[in-house]
Amino acid sequence: MRILVCGGAGYIGSHACVTLCSRGHHVVIADSGVNSSPRVLQRLQRLVGAPVSLHRVDIRDRRAMAALFATYHFDAVLHFAALKAVGESCRKPLDYFDNNIGGTIALLQSMQEAGVRRLVFSSSATVYGDPSQVPVREDAGLQALNPYGRTKLVAEQLIEDLCRADDRFRAANLRYFNPVGAHPSGLIGEDPCGEPNNLMPYICQVAVGQRDHLRVFGGDYPTVDGTGVRDYIHVVDLAQAHADALEYMVSADRGFTVNLGTGRGISVLELVHAFERASGQRIPYEIVERRPGDSAEVFADPALAQQLLGWRAQYDVDAMCRDAWHWQAMNPQGYRSPLRRAAAPRVERPRRAVARLAGA
Ligand code: NAD
Ligand code: WQD
């Protein structure tokens, strides 16, 4: 298939591009550059062994998007393009509504105009708010706790309404839990601007000496060790799920909503210790007040993704930490770090991922 990947220069989108190319699909990236580096292109091309088209286009720019659709005749769209910082969304809600909701509406209009009717949407576990029960199933109650979360909830609803109005339109809503890690080559990974909002990139920056210690938000939750529990998922597993979701949507000719998580909860301190083992670095930390709005424990019931797509996460927390560290150590300044001639030696990968990435 020829696939438009909106936001494909970002963290998760770039990994999805590698997987899609390894399965023989053709990708074209549209990315505004609001949270990505143009340098990802060279690295992606090295990973897929072929040219990749990256267009600096904002999905809200209807004219530029119409030109892309007219040039390439896409079979499907993967929609990663969004702003994603929860704290920033509370300070600048309108920017988030404009970019994430306005962007989704404009993209759906461009798709409709071009007659492209298959969409894979990057949703989030944030749509469950503070879930009353774990593991969280897809039929749990939905709730927005902040403007970012609201954009994901509204976008899911807009897409659902469009599917109701046009019975030829198919959409897959993928609700990611906590994506971490990097491509095992160390060539692409997460490159946050400024101070990281999320736990894993913060740990990585402590490990390379960019920050002196981690602040653990809360040590008095009713969890295994008092720290918050989340469902961390390797970004390569997530990338595989996108290809599986797209291929299932086409073959079964139906839309769906699934959780993408491992089904296993890991506490902040368990992740810190796993990272220390994987990297050989000490991660100094102090336990501070809880972060407002945080839940004690959130992890997925991933059974539906397995049932529909045959997808199950393959990488464990040690592999997530190993690959996150590999990326950070090879690229202490993210994409501003010089591209090395040869990727550092690889450690073993799960069999399924090896097979799927073999073409990359
Ligand atoms: P990212 O910021 O690395 O990638 C998003 C990409 O979209 C960036 O390259 C950015 O430049 C681009 N973009 C943003 N607005 C755009 C616009 N209007 N037009 C074109 N390009 C635009 O983020 P990510 O972590 O790769 O997340 C990808 C998607 O997954 C997002 O929709 C995010 O909300 C969702 N998500 C992320 C997480 C997470 O923890 N990383 C969890 C759940 C869901
Ligand atoms: C994980 C755990 C923190 C940083 C967020 C978004 C969610 C989704 C994924 C996009 C929590 C603790 C963190 C730190 C810490 N994104 N922590 N010190 O909050 O589960 O989810 O990212 O859709 O919408 O809300 O992830 O990585 O921020 O936090 O102790 O410096 O780590 O309290 O328990 P979260 P996170």
Side-chain angles (χ1 to χ4, degrees):
M1 279 181 272
R2 185 171 290 183
I3 300 157
L4 175 63
V5 186
C6 300
Y11 171 46
I12 303 169
S14 57
H15 289 80
C17 286
V18 174
T19 299
L20 290 167
C21 291
S22 77
R23 294 201 196 175
H25 300 296
H26 299 280
V27 302
V28 173
I29 298 173
D31 197 297
S32 65
V34 66
N35 196 35
S36 60
S37 164
R39 296 189 184 175
V40 74
L41 183 63
Q42 195 189 356
R43 289 157 178 246
L44 265 181
Q45 294 184 154
R46 191 157 138 187
L47 275 172
V48 306
V52 173
S53 306
L54 167 59
H55 298 266
R56 198 181 174 112
V57 168
D58 192 306
I59 56 171
R60 291 167 294 179
D61 181 345
R62 295 283 308 281
R63 263 169 71 169
M65 290 295 281
L68 271 187
F69 277 97
T71 307
Y72 291 104
H73 305 289
F74 298 112
D75 298 296
V77 174
L78 264 58
H79 176 21
F80 296 94
L83 301 173
K84 61 165 181 177
V86 171
E88 184 184 60
S89 81
C90 297
R91 294 190 301 277
K92 303 177 181 172
L94 295 179
D95 288 0
Y96 274 68
F97 299 155
D98 186 7
N99 193 77
N100 295 5
I101 300 177
T104 300
I105 295 172
L107 176 62
L108 294 172
Q109 286 170 325
S110 300
M111 290 176 68
Q112 192 170 56
E113 217 166 78
V116 177
R117 297 190 186 86
R118 294 185 190 119
L119 177 73
V120 178
F121 175 62
S122 297
S123 189
S124 167
T126 193
V127 299
Y128 297 117
D130 186 6
S132 54
Q133 223 180 315
V134 286
V136 188
R137 284 163 39 123
E138 289 80 355
D139 55 7
L142 304 180
Q143 183 193 16
L145 294 183
N146 52 63
Y148 166 74
R150 193 172 316 284
T151 68
K152 290 291 163 190
L153 199 49
V154 170
E156 278 199 9
Q157 291 164 345
L158 296 174
I159 293 165
E160 196 183 319
D161 282 346
L162 179 58
C163 291
R164 268 199 213 104
D166 178 350
D167 62 10
R168 294 164 299 175
F169 200 91
R170 302 282 177 268
N173 284 315
L174 306 185
R175 294 179 179 158
Y176 315 156
F177 278 66
N178 291 66
V180 295
H183 190 272
S185 65
L187 286 173
I188 57 173
E190 187 170 12
D191 183 12
C193 299
E195 188 172 349
N197 299 292
N198 296 116
L199 178 61
M200 182 64 104
Y202 206 103
I203 291 176
C204 286
Q205 292 196 359
V206 172
V208 284
Q210 284 168 14
R211 309 202 175 261
D212 51 69
H213 73 284
L214 171 73
R215 286 180 311 138
V216 175
F217 299 139
D220 57 352
Y221 285 109
T223 60
V224 57
D225 56 19
T227 66
V229 166
R230 296 292 183 274
D231 189 337
Y232 298 95
I233 173 166
H234 198 297
V235 67
V236 171
D237 274 328
L238 213 49
Q240 299 281 356
H242 285 74
D244 290 342
L246 179 59
E247 290 165 3
Y248 173 76
M249 187 164 67
V250 172
S251 64
D253 192 25
R254 57 166 289 199
F256 52 90
T257 296
V258 288
N259 288 337
L260 295 178
T262 63
R264 192 172 161 223
I266 304 280
S267 76
V268 174
L269 290 183
E270 283 172 335
L271 191 69
V272 166
H273 295 137
F275 192 93
E276 289 183 327
R277 284 195 304 275
S279 65
Q281 308 295 307
R282 206 172 65 81
I283 307 296
Y285 66 85
E286 73 171 316
I287 296 185
V288 300
E289 288 296 292
R290 292 181 180 190
R291 186 171 63 177
D294 267 355
S295 310
E297 196 166 31
V298 184
F299 57 94
D301 180 339
L304 188 60
Q306 170 144 35
Q307 187 194 317
L308 292 182
L309 315 178
W311 174 89
R312 198 159 63 89
Q314 305 286 309
Y315 288 86
D316 63 12
V317 68
D318 295 328
M320 297 176 209
C321 292
R322 180 195 66 209
D323 291 336
W325 169 240
H326 187 205
W327 153 257
Q328 188 71 43
M330 275 183 73
N331 307 275
Q333 305 299 324
Y335 287 110
R336 281 166 295 141
S337 309
L339 177 53
R340 297 187 186 177
R341 225 161 242 299
R346 254 302 289 139
V347 264
E348 78 294 340
R349 293 181 221 159
R351 204 176 298 142
R352 183 165 174 263
V354 172
R356 292 256 162 94
L357 288 168

